[in-house]
Amino acid sequence: MKIDNDFNDIDALGDNHIGSSSDTPMREDAFELSKEEKIDIIRDDVRHIMETLGLDLTDDSLHGTPNRVAKMFVNEIFGGLDPNKKPSASTFENKYKYGEMLVEKNITVYSTCEHHLLPIVGKAHVAYISNGSVVGLSKMNRIVDYYAKRPQVQERLTIQIVKELQKVLNTQDVACVIDAKHLCVNSRGIRDVDSSTVTSEFGGKFKEKETRREFLDYIQLDTQF
């Protein structure tokens, strides 16, 4: 009975999309297995799930699904768990002395809800104010993508993006806003297809009302080309 109650409590936490830490929960032995070993194990697990559901894996359409899913998990949608894939965000001296905020908006976010392993799809808007260093624009997109490619909660993703850019740029003056749809809300449970979730993290000068307002005004610009 205690076990049933524990699972009920865990399910309730997941349905309410409550996260446990600002760091991705990882075991100490997370990287002892090779990618190939992980794919082999996950392939067998996916096959077992499909067979348990009553699917006929001898069918041409389903036969390769366990292997495709295993490779997708390890190499693609959860590739951000691999520290070797962390983007090397080289910085450069701000020789042109640009002193205003730089905003990279509408960065596409594809992530996965850690509670139901369903997609999170949306846009991230990231900004920083240089204290002497700048980072290549594409690196900002790559940092977003790296932290998105793992089981996530949106609040943690937003914080991780800001913390990483603060570390790279050696400044607290970094901000991030994410607006995303969660298919665990849109396609199951309450099944509210129109709702989206907005999260934000403001560091340094972005905690000041005027600076934060300027950033939010920038991301509202209707950019069309």
Side-chain angles (χ1 to χ4, degrees), residues 82-130:
D82 183 354
N84 293 320
K85 288 192 172 184
K86 187 174 182 178
S88 56
S90 301
T91 57
F92 308 92
E93 182 183 352
N94 183 8
K95 292 183 178 180
Y96 28 83
K97 306 301 179 186
Y98 181 71
E100 302 299 321
M101 72 176 67
L102 184 147
V103 181
E104 183 81 357
K105 66 181 192 136
N106 295 330
I107 300 172
T108 300
V109 172
Y110 283 111
S111 191
T112 304
C113 168
E114 68 181 34
H115 299 125
H116 296 95
L117 298 185
L118 286 172
I120 299 171
V121 182
K123 298 291 184 181
H125 314 284
V126 182
Y128 71 90
I129 301 172
S130 173

Side-chain angles (χ1 to χ4, degrees), residues 1-214:
M1 189 66 180
K2 177 67 164 60
I3 294 177
D4 289 340
N5 286 336
D6 286 345
F7 275 117
N8 287 336
D9 291 342
I10 291 170
D11 281 346
L13 184 147
D15 273 332
N16 286 310
H17 304 279
I18 299 171
S20 59
S21 170
S22 61
D23 295 321
T24 302
M26 299 289 290
R27 298 200 323 266
E28 291 184 1
D29 64 349
F31 306 107
E32 290 183 2
L33 296 175
S34 68
K35 288 184 179 181
E36 292 73 19
E37 289 171 322
K38 290 180 179 181
I39 289 171
D40 287 343
I41 293 169
I42 294 171
R43 179 171 55 239
D44 290 341
D45 291 339
V46 174
R47 180 184 296 112
H48 181 232
I49 289 171
M50 296 178 70
E51 289 174 344
T52 302
L53 291 171
L55 294 169
D56 179 6
L57 268 66
T58 65
D59 182 88
D60 288 344
S61 181
L62 298 178
H63 181 69
T65 298
N67 191 58
R68 286 190 292 267
V69 171
K71 290 195 296 183
M72 177 185 69
F73 275 18
V74 173
N75 295 326
E76 296 180 69
I77 66 172
F78 298 141
L81 294 173
D82 183 354
N84 293 320
K85 288 192 172 184
K86 187 174 182 178
S88 56
S90 301
T91 57
F92 308 92
E93 182 183 352
N94 183 8
K95 292 183 178 180
Y96 28 83
K97 306 301 179 186
Y98 181 71
E100 302 299 321
M101 72 176 67
L102 184 147
V103 181
E104 183 81 357
K105 66 181 192 136
N106 295 330
I107 300 172
T108 300
V109 172
Y110 283 111
S111 191
T112 304
C113 168
E114 68 181 34
H115 299 125
H116 296 95
L117 298 185
L118 286 172
I120 299 171
V121 182
K123 298 291 184 181
H125 314 284
V126 182
Y128 71 90
I129 301 172
S130 173
N131 72 344
S133 297
V134 295
V135 67
L137 295 179
S138 67
K139 297 300 183 184
M140 298 169 71
N141 298 61
R142 293 182 190 281
I143 287 171
V144 171
D145 188 63
Y146 174 70
Y147 285 102
K149 291 293 187 288
R150 55 181 68 182
Q152 275 289 15
V153 292
Q154 189 172 320
E155 297 92 330
R156 179 195 297 136
L157 174 59
T158 311
I159 292 169
Q160 288 177 332
I161 292 167
V162 169
K163 283 185 174 180
E164 181 64 20
L165 279 167
Q166 287 174 331
K167 180 180 176 181
V168 167
L169 291 161
N170 191 30
T171 179
Q172 291 298 303
D173 302 333
V174 178
C176 178
V177 171
I178 297 177
D179 184 4
K181 284 182 172 288
H182 294 238
L183 265 69
C184 51
V185 173
N186 301 146
S187 68
R188 59 160 298 281
I190 189 65
R191 287 182 289 185
D192 185 342
V193 298
D194 292 322
S195 67
S196 68
T197 301
V198 179
T199 50
S200 62
E201 178 74 6
F202 301 110
K205 293 179 182 178
F206 286 94
K207 291 183 180 293
E208 300 171 4
K209 185 177 180 179
E210 289 186 5
T211 306
R212 184 168 63 248
R213 181 69 266 164
E214 182 182 352

